[in-house]
Amino acid sequence: MVQELLIAAVAAVSAAAVYTAAAARVVKQYERGVVLRLGRLRADVRGPGFTMVLPGVERLRKVNMQIVTMPVPAQDGITRDNVTVRVDAVIYFKVVDAASAVVEVEDYRFAVSQMAQTSLRSIIGKSDLDDLLSNREKLNQGLELMIDSPAVGWGVQIDRVEIKDVSLPETMKRSMARQAEADRERRARVINADAELQASKKLAEAASEMSAQPAALQLRLLQTVVAVAAEKNSTLVLPFPVELLRFLERAQQPTPQQAVQQPQPPQTVPQAPQQAGQPQAGQPAPQPVDGAAPDEHPGDRATDPPSGSAEPAPPAGPSESPSAAPPASRPGRLRPATPTASAPASGRPRPTGSKPLARH
């Protein structure tokens, strides 16, 4: 009898141990347990610690309540200003309602991932390239709102969404680099111009101060010489003021008053020498010989020997200098003096205005 009771007790203890092992569950601190009894959701959600379920009747599903970091695959899209980009992001979310995460959606992780991808494509199409590059905070907030709206019914809370990287085509990168370089060059030129303006104002003030004291310019020149000599150079360059050169140039040029007062030398007109056959001033012009042309001098016709004479005229001696006289001018007309003509090829001198005697 005692043995039978002992065997029954051992069997009961064994059955209880087996039942306890089959019904015992341990829920971790960052988890919550959702119990389904015969497929029906129990209202109570099991907290962390040791809990029991009916084996074969109840089923416990554990839901992680930690924040999940999920990368969103890179999405290709076209921005509003027609630029093709490739954008990837990262999303941070957690489950706030374990029962809804189990009942409302089949796999809340996959659902959140797909919703993040579609929302990211929508954000790319609604934004400009400059917004994707510089105004990401606003885009992150808009993307978070787009994902959080359907996720609230799944018992999931979106904590944060960040656009991680924006990939641009190589041509667009080069264009943006040129734009940035041009902008920096523009700012550099503006800064240089501003510096030149300020320096010119300071130099103008310094010049006005030096103009009051002429010795200040000489002192400044000496300071420059000392500064150059401190470099131990073999060549010393001294600045020479241009104003001094202009002063010397003005000093050499005559003033307008001196140019007016300077007397002009009298201009004399050379007079042609009086040649033979021309009338002097106050004397009547000679009349031409009968049968001669008006412009022909009577002596010109007499120079040739008569056709009947066979004896030529004697040549001119060495002491005689042949000279040619221009024909007499018409009455009332003045002719300029002509240079002395050379002797003819025959060796006879050109007769003057006097008529030679004919030989018999």
Side-chain angles (χ1 to χ4, degrees):
M1 187 68 182
V2 176
Q3 293 180 354
E4 293 178 357
L5 292 176
L6 184 59
I7 292 172
V10 172
V13 171
S14 298
V18 172
Y19 178 79
T20 302
R25 296 291 188 273
V26 176
V27 180
K28 298 178 182 180
Q29 182 65 35
Y30 55 84
E31 295 177 343
R32 297 294 182 269
V34 179
V35 179
L36 297 175
R37 179 178 293 177
L38 298 176
R40 188 173 182 179
L41 178 66
R42 293 295 300 266
D44 54 337
V45 177
R46 307 295 174 88
F50 181 80
T51 184
M52 298 289 292
V53 294
L54 297 175
V57 178
E58 294 179 350
R59 185 178 179 182
L60 180 66
R61 291 190 61 178
K62 299 177 182 179
V63 180
N64 193 342
M65 307 296 290
Q66 291 177 326
I67 296 178
V68 180
T69 302
M70 178 182 295
V72 181
Q75 303 296 317
D76 294 330
I78 300 176
T79 60
R80 190 167 59 181
D81 51 354
N82 298 326
V83 179
T84 303
V85 294
R86 186 179 181 88
V87 183
D88 57 350
V90 59
I91 182 172
Y92 302 89
F93 67 94
K94 66 179 179 179
V95 178
V96 294
D97 189 356
S100 298
V102 173
V103 176
E104 299 296 336
V105 63
E106 180 181 2
D107 187 355
Y108 65 91
R109 288 176 178 266
F110 181 75
V112 171
S113 176
Q114 295 299 317
M115 180 57 64
Q117 294 180 27
T118 56
S119 300
L120 182 59
R121 290 183 180 181
S122 179
I123 285 294
I124 293 173
K126 294 179 180 179
S127 305
D128 295 333
L129 180 61
D130 294 338
D131 295 337
L132 287 175
L133 298 176
S134 60
N135 195 12
R136 293 188 180 182
E137 292 295 333
K138 183 178 180 180
L139 297 180
N140 293 337
Q141 294 177 1
L143 186 59
E144 180 180 349
L145 291 175
M146 293 180 67
I147 300 174
D148 189 61
S149 298
V152 171
W154 304 337
V156 177
Q157 179 182 353
I158 306 299
D159 285 347
R160 192 179 184 87
V161 180
E162 293 286 345
I163 295 177
K164 187 166 57 175
D165 187 20
V166 178
S167 300
L168 298 175
E170 293 297 330
T171 55
M172 182 58 63
K173 290 181 181 180
R174 289 193 294 268
S175 299
M176 294 178 65
R178 289 195 299 268
Q179 179 183 1
E181 183 179 358
D183 184 58
R184 289 183 179 275
E185 185 177 358
R186 177 185 61 82
R187 287 186 291 177
R189 290 184 178 180
V190 170
I191 293 174
N192 289 335
D194 192 10
E196 292 292 339
L197 177 61
Q198 295 179 5
S200 62
K201 291 181 179 179
K202 294 299 182 182
L203 290 176
E205 294 178 1
S208 62
E209 292 293 335
M210 289 183 179
S211 62
Q213 297 294 335
L217 184 60
Q218 186 67 20
L219 294 177
R220 188 70 184 92
L221 177 60
L222 295 178
Q223 291 178 0
T224 305
V225 172
V226 171
V228 174
E231 299 295 334
K232 299 180 180 180
N233 296 327
S234 60
T235 303
L236 184 61
V237 179
L238 296 178
F240 194 78
V242 183
E243 288 76 8
L244 183 58
L245 295 177
R246 295 177 179 174
F247 174 76
L248 296 177
E249 183 180 358
R250 288 195 299 268
Q252 293 178 359
Q253 295 179 355
T255 59
Q257 296 179 358
Q258 294 178 356
V260 172
Q261 295 177 1
Q262 185 177 2
Q264 297 293 337
Q267 297 181 0
T268 59
V269 180
Q271 297 181 359
Q274 184 177 3
Q275 298 181 1
Q278 292 184 358
Q280 297 183 357
Q283 295 182 1
Q287 296 295 331
V289 183
D290 297 339
D295 291 340
E296 184 181 0
H297 196 271
D300 294 341
R301 297 181 59 185
T303 55
D304 296 336
S307 58
S309 62
E311 185 178 1
S319 60
E320 296 179 2
S321 59
S323 61
S329 60
R330 296 181 180 180
R333 179 183 300 177
L334 297 179
R335 289 194 177 186
T338 57
T340 304
S342 59
S346 60
R348 294 183 304 173
R350 189 178 181 87
T352 59
S354 61
K355 184 177 180 181
L357 298 176
R359 290 184 180 183
H360 297 283

